[in-house]
Amino acid sequence: MPNYIRYKPDITSALFWFMKEIVLLGSTGSIGTQVLDVARLHNIKIKALSANSNVNLLADQAREYSPSFICIGDEDKYDELKRLIDDRRIKILCGKDGLCELASLACDMVVNAIVGTAGFLPTLTAIEAGNRIALANKESLVVGGEMIIAAARKKKIKIMPIDSEHSAIFQSLAGNEENRINKIILTASGGPFRGYTSEMLKRVTADQALKHPNWCMGPKITIDSATMMNKGLELIEAVWLFNVRADQVEIVVHPQSILHSAVEFDDGSVIGQLGVPDMRIPIQLALTYPKRYASCAKPLSLTDISCLTFEKPDDRVFPCMDIARSALEKGGNMPCIMNRANETAVKMFLDGKIKFFEIPEKIQWAMENVSYSKEISIDIIFETERETDEKMSRIVS
Ligand code: NAD
Ligand code: MG
């Protein structure tokens, strides 16, 4: 039997985790459930769990992990959740305030696995409360990277990336803090439409776009991967996390998703991280860093894969990467407009209201028509999101 299946946490690991407690936001999603897989394997205690609307799964998770707090984002589901939880030791919260209360609880780490802009305020709240944070919610850094990084510096908090590419970059930089980075090589699978022409993209359906070749993820990020906006968001994420310029980030299509990203240093050495495409590897490292423990992921066999290939992305067919570069260059609330417009356009596509190829068009339209502000603050972010939603709904209806 292979090692990874036989693995049970050893006594050192159990002792290491004895007092560890995490707050997990977005526990019912693709990342959230995999965080719980890691927690189950290593006996990590869960202090709090949250979900947006899936009360049944949240209640099941609460029964298994006995957290002290749970929170449901959708306030209309509060009573239903209360009926499902028959345990007075669990405090039940709801809405945005509830989420922020969870993010500021005293704990060893807050894991933010919420999808979309809803994750921004909990990220900032967790950091301002002095909590360490493991971040899957890349949108936080896209809409308010400057504020988040400033808060993390002030509180001397390291943000542990969960995104596989950023985890790979983080690992490649270990031990090289004093060395100059030439560039970051941000790898992309290319998504389900790699090699398509613009003409072919006019006919693709939501079912096709939701079939990612290598990863099983939530619907929003799966569509972002198909449009390549995911790489645009990740470029902005990398710029904030690793303090590099956008022109130092090279996006390279690597269809096998084995090299999760790499860093090129001044001497020409390229250091990268390889592994099977399984999010439980970067999730676990974010939780246990600097320790590494056996994981439930399959080991990598390079000879089984035999061939790793790399190619340039097609920016003409997939304009979202350039859109993200220009939003970042413009700065202020422009990445926030782009991010919100993307979120809304993805939802419209999944609801059958627009075609796949219209997603970048709608984003560009929003970037030209929503009020621009050079300044950024929490109020500006919320106002930008409100205006983007309102204008986007008008052009589609
Ligand atoms: P998902 O849709 O599967 O899960 C999202 C979670 O967020 C759910 O628990 C949901 O209840 C919660 N949520 C949604 N809207 C909310 C709201 N308005 N308020 C509070 N909670 C809300 O998404 P996912 O694929 O797990 O992705 C989560 C984040 O991780 C995203 O930012 C994504 O880009 C990032 N990420 C995901 C993967 C992956 O493999 N899935 C990989 C890298 C990064
Ligand atoms: Mg990624």
Side-chain angles (χ1 to χ4, degrees), residues 81-100:
L81 182 62
K82 257 203 126 131
R83 277 196 296 277
L84 287 169
I85 299 291
D86 185 23
D87 185 343
R88 283 162 189 271
R89 288 165 303 179
I90 302 179
K91 187 172 172 195
I92 306 175
L93 305 168
C94 67
K96 287 190 184 121
D97 290 347
L99 265 186
C100 288

Side-chain angles (χ1 to χ4, degrees), residues 138 162-166 186-187 215 217 221 225 230-231 234 237 260 279:
K138 61 192 87 182
I162 283 184
D163 216 348
S164 56
E165 296 78 1
H166 303 73
L186 186 69
T187 53
W215 300 95
M217 310 180 284
I221 184 176
S225 301
N230 187 44
K231 248 0 91 170
E234 290 185 354
E237 185 184 8
H260 295 296
M279 284 308 295

Side-chain angles (χ1 to χ4, degrees), residues 26 28-31 52 113-115 118 136-139 163 217-218 279:
T28 54
S30 160
I31 292 288
N52 191 41
I114 294 174
V115 64
N137 181 263
K138 61 192 87 182
E139 294 90 346
D163 216 348
M217 310 180 284
M279 284 308 295

Side-chain angles (χ1 to χ4, degrees), residues 24-60:
L24 171 55
L25 309 178
S27 62
T28 54
S30 160
I31 292 288
T33 50
Q34 294 180 84
V35 172
L36 290 176
D37 287 345
V38 172
R40 190 183 297 116
L41 182 66
H42 293 289
N43 299 320
I44 298 172
K45 279 199 206 161
I46 305 293
K47 182 157 188 171
L49 294 168
S50 88
N52 191 41
S53 57
N54 191 343
V55 279
N56 290 317
L57 182 53
L58 183 60
D60 286 348

Side-chain angles (χ1 to χ4, degrees), residues 198-257:
S198 304
E199 214 35 52
M200 289 161 83
L201 281 189
K202 289 195 175 145
R203 292 185 293 276
V204 301
T205 63
D207 280 351
Q208 288 171 304
L210 283 168
K211 282 199 187 86
H212 194 281
N214 303 341
W215 300 95
C216 179
M217 310 180 284
K220 192 246 174 195
I221 184 176
T222 307
I223 302 302
D224 286 350
S225 301
T227 61
M228 298 289 282
M229 178 50 95
N230 187 44
K231 248 0 91 170
L233 301 177
E234 290 185 354
L235 179 144
I236 301 177
E237 185 184 8
V239 163
W240 288 117
L241 280 178
F242 305 113
N243 194 20
V244 291
R245 298 185 313 273
D247 64 9
Q248 286 177 290
V249 182
E250 182 188 8
I251 298 173
V252 173
V253 174
H254 165 49
Q256 298 81 17
S257 298

Side-chain angles (χ1 to χ4, degrees), residues 163-173 185 187 215 254 257-263 270-276 278 281-282 285 292 300:
D163 216 348
S164 56
E165 296 78 1
H166 303 73
S167 175
I169 298 162
F170 177 83
Q171 294 174 64
S172 306
L173 289 170
I185 299 166
T187 53
W215 300 95
H254 165 49
S257 298
I258 296 296
L259 173 67
H260 295 296
S261 280
V263 177
V270 175
I271 301 183
Q273 182 251 341
L274 286 77
V276 292
D278 186 326
I281 299 175
L285 187 70
R292 290 180 191 267
L300 171 66

Side-chain angles (χ1 to χ4, degrees), residues 6-25:
R6 218 175 35 219
Y7 176 72
K8 289 269 185 324
D10 63 23
I11 185 76
T12 351
S13 152
L15 284 177
F16 180 75
W17 286 114
F18 185 60
M19 292 303 286
K20 294 277 163 185
E21 261 192 330
I22 63 167
V23 166
L24 171 55
L25 309 178

